[in-house]
Amino acid sequence: MSARPRSRVHLAVCLPAPATAAPPVGTGAESGARFRSRSRSEASSRSPVDFAAYERLARTAEAGHLDFLLLTEPAGLWPREHPGRGRDLDVVGRPEPLTALAALTGVTERLGLAATVDASFTEPYELARELATLDHLSAGRAAWHLTGTGDACDGGNFRRGGCPDPAERDRRAAELQRVAAELWDSWPSPDEPARPFAHRGRHFDIAGEFTVPRPPQGHPVLIQDGNTPRERESAAARADVVVTRHGTLEEARARYADVKRRSARHGRGPDDVRVMSGVGVVLGETVAEARERAAALRRREVSPLHAILTLERIWGTDLSSYDPEGPLPDIDPVPDPALPRGRAGRGDTVALAEKWRALSREKGLSIRETVIEAGRTPSFVGTPAAVAEELVRFVRNGAADGFVLVPDPAPGGLDEFVDRVVPLLQERGAFRTRYRGTTLRAHLGLPEPAQTR
């Protein structure tokens, strides 16, 4: 079952890039670097925890009446076996998302505030308390992006060595979400006595009384990825927002319909879940200028060092002796458990390496050129009018309810989008001219969950 196509577009912004909008491997570090500075020299002289930059991005998003800001970060420390590479890739030094969002509650009034939560290592009581607190501080604007890690270094840093089995990781994530909801619902109404809480399951065994009042939204908005059938099945059962990889209109329509069908099988209505595509946006005065700018931005993002380190996350071995302007390695991947694998999942690195080698052979590309070509972020590239029209076309044709934007470069790219694209969407009647509610659920048109305990 698919929902009736909507004409209203939902919009959010992400920093760094989410898994659905970033290159197949990597961490979205490029977006973080651009967010803080337009130049590498300037970036190196500024702190990545500079709150003014986050404040600027949030204020810009709120001025544009966007639904939410998503901060997404890796869970673990960079492994000691590969010192310095976290800094080389610019993936270390950034603030913890929930703490940063708590600070942003003081400089925003309506913008939703979402943080990535790692399902593999987070404990439910701690998580439920943090999210309930954020929802209270923001008067009902909190959300969590539930993901699961596959990196051994994350497990080691949490004293749980090895990569979690995907099926077991999914079971833990489902139980984590269920227990968090039970904790939020266990808070009594004013005329009721305290409600003791007890849960004994496969992964969690906790009991007692929850210490934070039920969140203003009932439950903070739950965001999950939906790129694979397995992810879509999990998200359709419980997520409020499903973020998918952007593609052609037909590909997006198929994913959208699949999410809606799966959610219906779980007894949910078509308006109980929003499907949003992760996309980059690059604007220009002409289409040619926008394309040229997109190519230049991508080449600037992928330095020779970044290209080699990206390849190492597929090959799982030290490739520092290879020339980034030379051919790809002719050896097969031998995964190093200490190397984070990014989005090259367990067991598929050999196939991905062969795919990249085929691309390199077909187009005569060097290592760096291959990383640029293969890691191209799905994007809307064109004039503001053309981009606005495409956003509306996808929503009206049942391919998405909205988009999670990865602006190029942020925050300047978001300024440009808000100034030049949002007004065109508003003129078409496809986007709000003001916030009509106070909570994130109200922005997204989502129902508030009933208190079940």
Side-chain angles (χ1 to χ4, degrees):
M1 174 181 179
S2 62
R4 174 179 58 84
R6 296 171 170 270
S7 60
R8 288 298 181 98
V9 179
H10 290 285
L11 294 173
V13 62
C14 178
L15 177 78
T20 53
V25 292
T27 58
E30 307 89 345
S31 294
R34 293 196 307 274
F35 164 61
R36 293 188 298 275
S37 172
R38 291 178 180 266
S39 70
R40 174 63 61 183
S41 60
E42 184 183 350
S44 63
S45 66
R46 295 184 60 184
S47 168
V49 294
D50 180 6
F51 180 71
Y54 290 86
E55 179 181 0
R56 179 187 173 189
L57 182 67
R59 287 187 184 275
T60 301
E62 187 163 86
H65 309 297
L66 272 60
D67 291 288
F68 61 86
L69 163 66
L70 170 61
L71 298 184
T72 175
E73 296 289 340
L77 299 170
W78 198 262
R80 62 187 177 187
E81 291 87 351
H82 301 274
R85 294 189 183 181
R87 290 180 176 82
D88 290 336
L89 281 173
D90 196 26
V91 299
V92 296
R94 298 195 293 261
E96 190 280 316
L98 281 169
T99 306
L101 293 179
L104 290 175
T105 63
V107 296
T108 58
E109 296 180 354
R110 292 290 185 268
L111 181 69
L113 302 169
T116 294
V117 172
D118 194 302
S120 300
F121 308 113
T122 304
E123 295 299 319
Y125 170 77
E126 174 188 37
L127 170 69
R129 188 165 181 258
E130 290 172 343
L131 286 170
T133 299
L134 181 62
D135 209 44
H136 281 286
L137 290 175
S138 64
R141 296 183 284 134
W144 50 312
H145 174 218
L146 185 63
T147 65
T149 186
D151 286 345
C153 68
D154 285 350
N157 290 328
F158 285 92
R159 300 184 182 276
R160 297 175 188 170
C163 299
D165 175 79
E168 194 63 27
R169 186 172 67 225
D170 289 349
R171 285 190 285 267
R172 191 181 195 277
E175 188 175 348
L176 175 69
Q177 187 274 335
R178 187 168 61 252
V179 177
E182 291 172 358
L183 283 164
W184 293 323
D185 287 347
S186 70
W187 187 266
S189 59
D191 58 345
E192 290 180 313
R195 297 178 179 179
F197 171 87
H199 174 92
R200 176 168 291 180
R202 183 185 184 96
H203 294 279
F204 309 112
D205 183 1
I206 58 176
E209 294 182 11
F210 195 47
T211 57
V212 181
R214 192 168 188 260
Q217 296 185 102
H219 303 163
V221 169
L222 175 62
I223 305 167
Q224 289 185 255
D225 296 329
N227 292 315
T228 67
R230 178 178 61 82
E231 289 177 336
R232 288 195 289 274
E233 181 63 25
S234 173
R238 57 182 184 265
D240 299 302
V241 176
V242 181
V243 182
T244 63
R245 190 182 302 279
H246 183 62
T248 66
L249 180 65
E250 290 307 311
E251 290 169 342
R253 289 183 67 183
R255 280 192 289 265
Y256 183 91
D258 188 37
V259 171
K260 298 295 183 174
R261 281 194 298 267
R262 291 173 187 270
S263 64
R265 289 202 296 267
H266 288 282
R268 308 180 70 193
D271 289 332
D272 289 342
V273 59
R274 296 283 173 259
V275 181
M276 302 178 72
S277 295
V279 297
V281 174
V282 182
L283 303 175
E285 294 300 326
T286 65
V287 174
E289 180 186 318
R291 289 175 177 169
E292 183 179 350
R293 183 181 177 193
L297 285 168
R298 186 59 186 153
R299 187 162 184 83
R300 190 180 71 187
E301 291 167 358
V302 182
S303 67
L305 175 60
H306 179 88
I308 293 296
L309 294 178
T310 297
L311 225 62
E312 287 184 352
R313 301 188 74 180
I314 300 175
W315 264 258
T317 189
D318 185 352
L319 300 176
S320 58
S321 62
Y322 281 77
D323 180 2
E325 304 304 336
L328 269 68
D330 57 4
I331 59 174
D332 285 334
V334 183
D336 179 348
L339 272 172
R341 290 189 310 283
R343 292 165 184 87
R346 189 179 203 175
D348 61 5
T349 54
V350 173
L352 184 58
E354 183 52 42
K355 180 179 178 180
W356 281 32
R357 280 196 290 247
L359 175 65
S360 176
R361 289 193 298 267
E362 177 188 353
K363 297 190 175 183
L365 304 177
S366 67
I367 289 175
R368 185 183 181 199
E369 290 167 339
T370 301
V371 173
I372 291 172
E373 181 70 18
R376 196 179 304 279
T377 303
S379 300
F380 289 114
V381 178
T383 65
V387 168
E389 192 59 39
E390 279 294 281
L391 294 172
V392 173
R393 186 170 75 97
F394 269 69
V395 172
R396 287 183 175 166
N397 283 278
D401 292 313
F403 304 90
V404 179
L405 306 172
V406 183
D408 265 320
L414 184 61
D415 293 341
E416 190 175 19
F417 182 89
V418 167
D419 291 342
R420 304 187 67 189
V421 178
V422 167
L424 297 177
L425 294 173
Q426 292 168 335
E427 289 175 8
R428 288 165 168 80
F431 192 65
R432 66 173 68 90
T433 57
R434 62 183 177 87
Y435 291 110
R436 298 184 181 276
T438 60
T439 69
L440 179 54
R441 286 188 178 275
H443 302 342
L444 293 167
L446 294 169
E448 182 177 315
Q451 190 165 1
T452 57
R453 287 178 56 87

